[in-house]
Amino acid sequence: MLSLLLGGASLAPLGTDVAEGATAPGPPGHVPSGHGDKPAPPTPERKPRKGYLFTYFTGSGTADGEQVHFAVSRGNDALRWDELNNGEPVLTSTKGENGVRDPFIIRSPEGDKFYLIATDLRMHGDGNWDEAQRHGSKHIEVWESTDLIHWSEQRHVRVAPDNAGNTWAPEAYYDESIDAYVVFWASKLYDADDPNHTGDSYNRMMYATTRDFHTFSEPRVWQDPGHSVIDSTVVSRDGTYYRFTKDERTNSDSAPCGKYITAAKSPNLRSTDYELVADCIGKPSGSEPGISRGEGPTVFESNTEDKWYMFIDEFGGRGYVPFETTDLDSGEWSLSENYDLPDSPRHGTVLPITADELRRLRAEYGNR
């Protein structure tokens, strides 16, 4: 089954020469044991969220734009932000292509650890998008921390199969049903008889599972509508998972929602059969303002009211633009008003944080 899903190719052995600290993957559906053989400790009482952390990159126009930048909210206001570290990167990649895009951060279910993962890609200078999708990295970059201040050494971890041309915009969500993280990303997959990746292909959303971000299961196809899709992100509410994905098709009469966001839902995170909620999210409609195109959605719940935010990256335009809704099932998102985001934020993540975490970040990195 797996070889069919992946075009006849199998995942290369994840030895220490490829994935630092990793072991060979198990069969499809297997969750690597990692450090998860012991029962998980009881989840501590959840502390109130009193602010937000924004991790992002700033683009390929400068030498340090494709690194991890931080900003924090002004108090508990999701629409007003201050850059940290004087606008300079907080984390810098020294592995793979020596550049990272699309940084994603997740808090462990126990609340005692943070994992930050990112795309291994550097386009600054002479980067070529076609080449990056034929002969790009099969790895993701990983850091971890217990306090958002002190970070582990960077790990360069192989997750994609041999026939993948790229491994873009990795994100993760914790799946309680298997006590593991589901890590997902976009890859173009090439036929088994095309080892040089010269043929045509398109991006599918892939996933693998892990308990420790060292060892990963075999990758599987998660979302394949027959055309390119990238940049999925997931939130959940009341037992339902909501997935937001960029339709990568060129916007045209035959694909009017191309380059905008599609929302779908399922009671099963790893399902390959999500129900459509809405498409064309972010596109102007009638008197409703919007953006010229969008990618890299990050979705998060308000700390202060019954509301959800979706920041969409208007690539080639303003960068991130905030939208909001009070009903995830409605598929209706309105452009936020009176916002003040960081300078040039590109594809990243907003993470709700506690008052202590907000104070630590400001004390350590200051404002611009």
Side-chain angles (χ1 to χ4, degrees):
M1 176 67 75
L2 182 65
S3 62
L4 292 175
L5 287 172
L6 299 184
S10 61
L11 187 66
L14 297 186
T16 54
D17 59 328
V18 178
E20 297 168 5
T23 58
H30 166 76
V31 179
S33 59
H35 300 147
D37 293 333
K38 298 179 180 179
T43 301
E45 182 179 354
R46 185 183 186 275
K47 294 183 179 179
R49 305 301 189 236
K50 296 294 186 180
Y52 306 88
L53 168 65
F54 194 176
T55 65
Y56 57 96
F57 79 108
T58 61
S60 57
T62 61
D64 64 358
E66 292 165 305
Q67 305 294 350
V68 182
H69 295 248
F70 281 7
V72 291
S73 60
R74 297 172 196 161
N76 222 351
D77 189 340
L79 296 178
R80 290 169 177 78
W81 296 82
D82 292 315
E83 295 178 11
L84 297 183
N85 203 35
N86 295 314
E88 299 298 318
V90 172
L91 296 173
T92 301
S93 176
T94 59
K95 299 182 184 296
E97 298 191 11
N98 294 315
V100 288
R101 302 167 68 98
D102 323 314
F104 172 82
I105 189 168
I106 186 171
R107 185 192 299 267
S108 70
E110 297 80 22
D112 61 350
K113 186 174 288 188
F114 302 89
Y115 296 99
L116 191 148
I117 60 179
T119 305
D120 174 29
L121 179 62
R122 182 178 177 86
M123 297 299 292
H124 178 70
D126 58 355
N128 180 286
W129 286 113
D130 183 67
E131 178 70 13
Q133 295 175 84
R134 295 183 185 275
H135 303 289
S137 178
K138 295 177 175 62
H139 296 68
I140 64 174
E141 306 309 313
V142 182
W143 289 266
E144 59 184 81
S145 174
T146 58
D147 60 7
L148 298 173
I149 305 299
H150 303 93
W151 291 89
S152 69
E153 291 293 320
Q154 178 185 357
R155 296 197 297 274
H156 182 62
V157 183
R158 171 81 179 262
V159 296
D162 288 343
N163 64 331
N166 55 303
T167 310
W168 279 6
E171 295 204 9
Y173 204 87
Y174 191 76
D175 189 340
E176 293 182 354
S177 70
I178 56 173
D179 187 27
Y181 298 92
V182 177
V183 178
F184 43 91
W185 67 91
S187 288
K188 283 190 175 181
L189 301 179
Y190 294 87
D191 292 338
D193 60 358
D194 182 17
N196 294 320
H197 299 176
T198 59
D200 292 333
S201 187
Y202 57 91
N203 280 293
R204 299 128 167 113
M205 289 304 302
M206 313 287 295
Y207 81 85
T209 56
T210 184
R211 287 197 171 110
D212 58 9
F213 290 86
H214 286 269
T215 306
F216 291 75
S217 70
E218 293 266 15
R220 298 178 66 86
V221 174
W222 186 35
Q223 186 180 175
D224 183 358
H227 59 78
S228 271
V229 288
I230 63 173
D231 295 354
S232 285
T233 194
V234 171
V235 296
S236 67
R237 184 166 194 175
D238 298 332
T240 298
Y241 296 95
Y242 296 85
R243 182 175 67 191
F244 302 86
T245 303
K246 180 191 178 186
D247 182 337
E248 183 66 332
R249 292 176 293 179
T250 299
N251 192 272
S252 64
D253 290 341
S254 60
C257 296
K259 307 303 183 189
Y260 288 99
I261 307 304
T262 298
K265 65 180 182 179
S266 171
N268 181 347
L269 175 59
R270 290 164 290 127
S271 172
T272 57
D273 187 24
Y274 274 60
E275 174 189 347
L276 177 68
V277 174
D279 52 13
C280 281
I281 296 173
K283 187 174 184 177
S285 177
S287 60
E288 287 293 320
I291 53 179
S292 60
R293 62 190 71 83
E295 64 184 14
T298 182
V299 182
F300 60 100
E301 189 172 10
S302 168
N303 291 338
T304 59
E305 53 190 316
D306 187 16
K307 178 186 293 187
W308 293 81
Y309 291 98
M310 184 193 310
F311 290 6
I312 306 176
D313 182 357
E314 186 185 45
F315 60 102
R318 290 168 284 182
Y320 266 117
V321 176
F323 291 76
E324 55 192 68
T325 188
T326 57
D327 183 2
L328 292 174
D329 286 304
S330 72
E332 298 176 357
W333 293 81
S334 301
L335 191 67
S336 301
E337 299 178 351
N338 302 319
Y339 58 89
D340 184 10
L341 271 58
D343 291 338
S344 304
R346 300 293 314 281
H347 193 168
T349 321
V350 174
L351 176 74
I353 56 176
T354 67
D356 286 344
E357 290 162 349
L358 180 59
R359 281 194 293 269
R360 280 202 304 268
L361 284 162
R362 285 193 176 275
E364 178 70 17
Y365 298 113
N367 297 339
R368 64 176 171 174

